[in-house]
Amino acid sequence: MSGIDIRPTGARDAEAIMALHRAAASGVSGLAREPDEIEIGYIAKFLSEATITLGAWAGDRLVGEIHAYRMGPRQFHHVVTDLTIAVHPEFQGQGVGGLLFEALFHEARAMAPPVARVELMVRTGNAGAVRLYERMGFVVEGRFADRVRLRDGTVEDDLAMTKFL
């Protein structure tokens, strides 16, 4: 997708990230938080603690964000996990998610020591996200039955997916 700039995010972007996550969580979302659970403290925490934080910008508008954590202790430093990706509903299906993943993979490979494994969780009902992750090279490594309780009270399985770099 042309016209999208991917760059690291920081504290200066916290308000824009919060608005993006709330917008993404408002509709049919794969985010694990409801809009009212997305507060500035949550955003500030992952901005200060995540190993990789990247934003997708269309001009001065944040339209996507991805972050993940290097796993510790050192024997797990080849792994990034707890990955979260959010794309504004108006920009979903336009390649923003793929651009964010490619940038994350690039950053992960450049780390010392380089990351060789990227992990994420996705609920089974989020078929669009599962398709994206599979296109990006992720494979299902496990299933957590009835792990996710949705707004309407139904439950879905969570899939553990991994990509080897």
Side-chain angles (χ1 to χ4, degrees):
M1 172 177 208
S2 64
I4 298 293
D5 178 37
I6 307 293
R7 63 179 187 259
T9 55
R12 70 193 174 282
D13 304 310
E15 292 286 338
I17 293 169
M18 185 173 67
L20 167 69
H21 278 238
R22 284 180 176 171
S26 291
V28 176
S29 168
L31 293 179
R33 296 179 190 282
E34 297 290 330
D36 64 334
E37 294 177 296
I38 300 168
E39 298 176 347
I40 201 68
Y42 160 69
I43 304 297
K45 182 172 174 45
F46 78 68
L47 284 171
S48 68
E49 295 178 3
T51 308
I52 301 171
T53 62
L54 300 167
W57 300 83
D60 62 354
R61 182 178 181 194
L62 182 67
V63 299
E65 185 273 333
I66 193 168
H67 64 272
Y69 301 80
R70 177 169 273 198
M71 201 171 173
R74 277 191 307 265
Q75 66 181 341
F76 298 110
H77 274 188
H78 66 289
V79 179
V80 293
T81 192
D82 291 337
L83 185 147
T84 298
I85 183 168
V87 176
H88 194 284
E90 294 173 18
F91 287 81
Q92 291 177 6
Q94 298 179 37
V96 173
L99 291 173
L100 284 165
F101 270 112
E102 288 299 335
L104 180 125
F105 300 154
H106 175 78
E107 293 288 322
R109 287 183 187 109
M111 295 171 78
V115 168
R117 178 184 172 94
V118 179
E119 301 174 342
L120 59 78
M121 300 293 288
V122 60
R123 62 183 176 76
T124 53
N126 192 350
V130 172
R131 282 192 304 274
L132 169 63
Y133 303 156
E134 288 173 340
R135 278 196 313 272
M136 299 308 303
F138 286 84
V139 295
V140 174
E141 285 196 323
R143 176 182 296 263
F144 293 81
D146 295 340
R147 187 171 190 223
V148 182
R149 184 171 308 281
L150 302 176
R151 291 177 200 157
D152 65 3
T154 60
V155 292
E156 292 184 353
D157 295 354
D158 225 358
L159 299 177
M161 298 186 78
T162 299
K163 176 180 173 74
F164 294 94
L165 301 180

